[in-house]
């Protein structure tokens, strides 16, 4: 997980280049497109500190999409509004590990992803 966070932090510096969306994971909401919801529900052993979300066409999982200083407590959840389409999502606990999932978000729909690992 540490390497995942370090990589995301290092790649944020590259975000100024013309390929920024391939590195950062892209905007969660693309103008003019219908949206849906990714709900990350936490049933893991601790608070989820990091949620990376990227368009499936991006070259990385992107940057942490959680609000600064916030973590999803065990038994809690957090909703992310995203444009409809394919998304790669990684959720993890700093110093413990992460789990990943690819999901398809339908317009007006959503996915409730329960993280247990």
């Amino acid at each position: 997980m540490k390497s995942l966070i370090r990589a995301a932090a290092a790649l944020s510096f590259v975000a100024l280049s013309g390929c920024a969306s391939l590195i950062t994971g892209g905007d969660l909401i693309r103008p003019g497109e219908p949206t849906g919801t990714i709900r990350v529900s936490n049933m893991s052993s601790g608070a989820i500190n990091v949620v990376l979300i990227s368009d499936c066409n991006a070259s990385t999982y992107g940057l942490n999409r959680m609000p600064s200083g916030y973590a999803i407590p065990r038994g809690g959840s957090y909703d992310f509004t995203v444009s409809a389409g394919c998304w790669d999502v990684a959720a993890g606990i700093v110093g413990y590990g992460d789990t990943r999932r690819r999901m398809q978000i339908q317009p007006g729909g959503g996915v409730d992803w329960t993280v247990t690992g």
Side-chain angles (χ1 to χ4, degrees), residues 5-6 15-16 29-30 32-33 35 41 44 47 53-55 61 63 71 76 81 92 99 109 116:
I5 293 170
R6 286 185 192 139
L16 298 176
I29 300 173
R30 296 179 290 263
E33 293 186 14
T35 61
S41 297
S44 68
I53 303 175
S54 68
D55 182 283
Y61 273 81
L63 306 175
T81 300
T99 185
T116 58

Side-chain angles (χ1 to χ4, degrees), residues 51-111:
V51 177
L52 308 177
I53 303 175
S54 68
D55 182 283
C56 290
N57 294 325
S59 59
T60 71
Y61 273 81
L63 306 175
N64 187 10
R65 305 299 183 140
M66 295 292 293
S68 180
Y70 184 78
I72 305 170
R74 185 174 182 357
S77 64
Y78 193 87
D79 291 351
F80 297 90
T81 300
V82 298
S83 287
C86 184
W87 295 94
D88 287 325
V89 184
I93 301 169
V94 174
Y96 180 73
D98 69 301
T99 185
R100 301 169 184 203
R101 181 171 171 195
R102 178 167 278 191
M103 53 189 72
Q104 188 70 35
I105 305 300
Q106 300 300 319
V111 171

